[in-house]
Amino acid sequence: MWPGRLAALALAVCALLCFPPHRDGASLRVHGFALGVSALCPLLALLLSARPAVPLLAVAVLVPAGLAAVQLFESRFHSPGLSRALDLSLAPDWLVGTAALCASLAALTALLARLTSPQSPRNAPAERPMAEASRSTD
């Protein structure tokens, strides 16, 4: 399913852009948070490329959307640790936020495509011959 693969690619790009290449004097906690966020995106990308299940697609929508929201509202939080963690990324903040938004929208598109597509024959429940069995006993 191509929307799932597109979402996985967008998550991989988001992970690459928000990766902190160096600690740059940040505390271990702040650096660990930045690494955790950048590691969650490629993990989701790998899982989505293997099997784009509905719960996984929902998580793939929420994680980059949260990252984009944090990027957008960073100045309102007044958290020096959060600001420092966002500054550690490989790309500028505006590019990371845009990539996270695109990844979230791609995952949302894949989720909607998955929910609205008809079930394939291998996923559809098998019909049971109950009507035939009741006719044969009459």
Side-chain angles (χ1 to χ4, degrees):
M1 185 160 151
W2 69 267
R5 290 187 179 143
L6 182 65
L9 178 66
L11 281 166
V13 168
C14 182
L16 179 69
L17 292 177
C18 72
F19 179 75
H22 44 78
R23 193 166 160 190
D24 203 28
S27 70
L28 189 58
R29 185 177 185 188
V30 168
H31 191 252
F33 175 75
L35 275 175
V37 168
S38 69
L40 193 56
C41 287
L43 176 67
L44 284 171
L46 285 173
L47 292 173
L48 275 179
S49 64
R51 182 163 185 223
V54 172
L56 187 60
L57 285 167
V59 171
V61 169
L62 294 176
V63 169
L67 179 61
V70 167
Q71 290 282 347
L72 183 63
F73 296 117
E74 173 189 3
S75 62
R76 295 186 187 207
F77 290 141
H78 302 295
S79 173
L82 182 61
S83 296
R84 184 73 180 125
L86 294 175
D87 288 339
L88 290 176
S89 64
L90 185 63
D93 292 343
W94 63 269
L95 188 58
V96 173
T98 304
L101 180 65
C102 290
S104 181
L105 289 175
L108 181 62
T109 302
L111 177 64
L112 291 175
R114 176 80 177 197
L115 289 175
T116 59
S117 67
Q119 287 186 347
S120 64
R122 63 184 170 109
N123 292 339
E127 291 185 29
R128 296 184 183 174
M130 288 296 271
E132 292 176 18
S134 64
R135 285 185 207 149
S136 63
T137 58
D138 291 336

